[in-house]
Amino acid sequence: MLELPLVFLLSPVNLRGRRGAMLFDPAAQFQLARELRSAQGAELGELFSFVSSLYFRGKLAYARAFGRAPLGQQAAYVISAGGGLCQPEERFSLVRLQGWAKVSIHHDNPHFTAPLIRHASELLERSGKDTRFVLLGSVASDKYVAPLLDVFGPALLFPEQFAGLGDMSRGALLLRAVRDRQELAYARVSGQRITSSASDR
């Protein structure tokens, strides 16, 4: 049976916390911090995995294991605070990452939503009608769910087993799925009740 294209959208991380501060510390000498300060920058997937630890590592590993890209496209994109959808392999500078840390991730903030909606719309236009888009993130808040639903509508899915789980549990679930080569079941985000003010990413 021919499998349908499957594109994963990885929810953003909080760059304002303790681990973000470690990256931004000009005195930091660990490898990733040095790469971030270098001319070529550091890979976004590595940066977000450091900041969010188990949860983002799980999301990235799962997307790479089960993503099925449409012809000529990518199978995984990371939602960023100020840069819309980015590929996890893209390299970013310290200045750009610090700029993102100043952007509030909220559906009422055009500095966040405008690039996200633009990139999501371009992705949808490039993809075939049978492509499914899976959000690896919480659907308990409309801060990024609302703009994504505006673009993808019923084509936007999420892992059913995410419901009721915290970040660490989701990360562990995704890593187990990768280890066992067992893809999770998905449900339409449009069928979920969205509540505001959730802090979960």
Side-chain angles (χ1 to χ4, degrees):
M1 179 183 293
L2 182 65
E3 294 183 316
L4 297 177
L6 191 66
V7 175
F8 290 98
L9 309 173
L10 283 59
S11 61
V13 305
N14 179 14
L15 293 169
R16 302 178 185 179
R18 180 180 63 85
R19 293 183 72 82
M22 291 171 62
L23 274 178
F24 297 151
D25 184 354
Q29 291 301 312
F30 58 94
Q31 179 63 31
L32 190 59
R34 292 200 304 269
E35 285 185 24
L36 183 60
R37 297 196 300 267
S38 70
Q40 69 269 23
E43 282 195 10
L44 184 61
E46 295 296 321
L47 292 166
F48 277 18
S49 292
F50 174 81
V51 173
S52 187
S53 191
L54 177 66
Y55 188 24
F56 194 87
R57 285 194 293 108
K59 289 187 287 188
L60 187 56
Y62 186 89
R64 286 172 169 167
F66 297 107
R68 299 186 289 274
L71 185 63
Q73 305 298 324
Q74 300 291 322
Y77 293 89
V78 180
I79 300 170
S80 69
L85 296 176
C86 303
Q87 296 176 24
E89 296 79 19
E90 289 184 67
R91 303 186 79 89
F92 290 87
S93 67
L94 174 62
V95 171
R96 190 168 184 191
L97 212 66
Q98 288 174 324
W100 286 359
K102 300 175 183 176
V103 177
S104 174
I105 298 174
H106 195 277
H107 68 283
D108 285 335
N109 180 9
H111 298 291
F112 168 62
T113 59
L116 175 59
I117 291 173
R118 181 175 71 254
H119 289 172
S121 298
E122 292 169 354
L123 174 61
L124 181 63
E125 187 174 341
R126 295 193 306 266
S127 304
K129 293 183 178 179
D130 57 352
T131 302
R132 298 177 297 163
F133 303 91
V134 178
L135 173 63
L136 295 181
S138 173
V139 297
S141 168
D142 56 6
K143 56 191 171 185
Y144 51 79
V145 171
L148 291 176
L149 274 176
D150 285 344
V151 175
F152 297 114
L156 184 65
L157 312 176
F158 78 106
E160 286 183 317
Q161 289 179 258
F162 269 24
L165 296 181
D167 285 359
M168 298 297 284
S169 295
R170 290 184 192 135
L173 171 67
L174 293 171
L175 289 174
R176 284 198 304 273
V178 172
R179 179 196 65 196
D180 299 339
R181 299 297 302 172
Q182 185 65 50
E183 189 173 359
L184 302 175
Y186 308 118
R188 286 183 176 178
V189 174
S190 57
Q192 298 299 304
R193 178 175 178 270
I194 305 301
T195 58
S196 60
S197 302
S199 60
D200 178 41
R201 283 192 172 84

